[in-house]
Amino acid sequence: MGRINRKRTLKDWVTATRPWSFPASAMPVVAMAAYLWWDGKMLWPMGAVWSLAGIVLFHAAANLLSDYRDYHNGVDHEDADCVRMLIDGILSPREVMAFSVVLMLLSAGIGIMLACLTHPLLIFVGGLGVMTGVFYTEMKYVGIGDFAIFMAYAVLPALGLPIAVSMQTGYGTLWLALPIGLITVAILHANNMRDTRTDFGSCIRTLPMILGPRRSARVYAFEALFPFAWVAGCAAAGVFPLWSLASLLALPLAVRNVRVIFRATSLGDGTVANVDRATAQLQLAFSLLLAASFVAARLL
């Protein structure tokens, strides 16, 4: 396709980063920071602020790189449901790649600064994060993209944030990595279920393509519902404050999404429109409620 807008606007650049997806990376940091404050480990709040900025920049860079590679490999095409900045010629592949590199370097710069101010172990954690962002597309194409997302937006923040805010290692936030990470992965899983029909025309094998519609629906149900059981168990065991049960207020959103997934599967339709964005809303609500519960437990 030829370029339809030779003069790029700020809106074009922002849209290319898919800003509506940023809660998937931002909210785990917000919830984990609130947990560390409740647990008395928040010694340097600005560490959490810089960590939040770094992971959002990383997420934006990874989105751009993924779109570039999907376009280059023919996965994103005229009939695909995707961000159309490249397909419609609004931005060139070279521009998207350059923008991705700039944002990745900014994110890495924040990580290096935090490591210099706190602990060099952050270099290792951040380096693993960069690797997941760079190689995510290849992992997605062979059905293990979900693992990359869980590592990048759950496990690694849970390991790195305690260092950034307290200048020492800590593992309490790993209790949060599982529930928040599973819902984050569910966003990707729903997106891949939606794209299954068009992806079959490409030389890739996402997890829903490997599992098939029914098993994919069961995986989504586990990812969306198990986090609530996990939080309830952690609250009962005293790992989380009882206030954390407030996150159960988001359960109806999860149940609604699961019903949509199974209804579509029962009708023989392996693709589900809009469930990825509905899952992002679920993750936002779940994480905000968890974060608020830790704040309430500290103040009340």
Side-chain angles (χ1 to χ4, degrees), residues 9 31 60 91 153 156 191 209 251 286:
T9 66
L91 295 175
Y153 301 126
L156 293 178
N191 179 274
M209 296 170 69
L251 182 58
F286 179 78

Side-chain angles (χ1 to χ4, degrees), residues 68-249:
Y68 170 85
R69 287 184 169 170
D70 282 346
Y71 177 78
H72 179 74
N73 294 324
V75 176
D76 284 353
H77 47 78
E78 288 291 339
D79 297 327
D81 187 356
C82 59
V83 177
R84 302 185 64 86
M85 307 303 289
L86 286 168
I87 294 171
D88 292 341
I90 298 173
L91 295 175
S92 71
R94 180 176 295 182
E95 289 169 333
V96 169
M97 174 58 79
F99 193 22
S100 174
V101 171
V102 169
L103 294 180
M104 190 67 77
L105 288 174
L106 288 173
S107 176
I110 290 175
I112 293 171
M113 178 197 71
L114 286 173
C116 292
L117 293 174
T118 58
H119 195 289
L121 185 59
L122 270 182
I123 296 290
F124 175 73
V125 175
L128 288 177
V130 170
M131 289 179 63
T132 61
V134 170
F135 295 107
Y136 163 71
T137 304
E138 287 78 7
M139 297 174 76
K140 180 181 74 172
Y141 288 177
V142 295
I144 55 175
D146 301 55
F147 172 76
I149 294 298
F150 186 78
M151 289 296 297
Y153 301 126
V155 175
L156 293 178
L159 293 175
L161 189 62
I163 301 174
V165 303
S166 67
M167 305 182 189
Q168 58 185 358
T169 57
Y171 305 101
T173 44
L174 285 173
W175 292 103
L176 282 169
L178 183 64
I180 296 178
L182 281 176
I183 298 180
T184 302
V185 170
I187 301 172
L188 172 68
H189 191 68
N191 179 274
N192 287 338
M193 287 184 71
R194 182 201 66 196
D195 292 343
T196 297
R197 183 169 296 159
T198 55
D199 284 347
F200 267 119
S202 308
C203 297
I204 68 173
R205 294 283 287 172
T206 62
L207 186 60
M209 296 170 69
I210 295 171
L211 296 177
R214 292 187 178 181
R215 284 185 289 181
S216 291
R218 295 189 190 106
V219 168
Y220 178 87
F222 172 78
E223 293 169 344
L225 297 176
F226 182 75
F228 295 93
W230 179 269
V231 170
C234 287
V239 176
F240 295 164
L242 290 178
W243 278 95
S244 65
L245 294 176
S247 63
L248 297 178
L249 292 173

Side-chain angles (χ1 to χ4, degrees), residues 17-99:
T17 65
R18 288 186 264 154
W20 54 86
S21 68
F22 292 165
S25 56
M27 292 316 301
V29 174
V30 171
M32 290 175 187
Y35 170 87
L36 290 168
W37 187 63
W38 165 73
D39 201 32
K41 304 289 178 55
M42 181 68 71
L43 304 181
W44 187 43
M46 280 305 299
V49 175
W50 280 113
S51 297
L52 181 61
I55 199 167
V56 170
L57 286 171
F58 165 80
H59 191 175
N63 283 346
L64 290 162
L65 181 59
S66 177
D67 287 344
Y68 170 85
R69 287 184 169 170
D70 282 346
Y71 177 78
H72 179 74
N73 294 324
V75 176
D76 284 353
H77 47 78
E78 288 291 339
D79 297 327
D81 187 356
C82 59
V83 177
R84 302 185 64 86
M85 307 303 289
L86 286 168
I87 294 171
D88 292 341
I90 298 173
L91 295 175
S92 71
R94 180 176 295 182
E95 289 169 333
V96 169
M97 174 58 79
F99 193 22

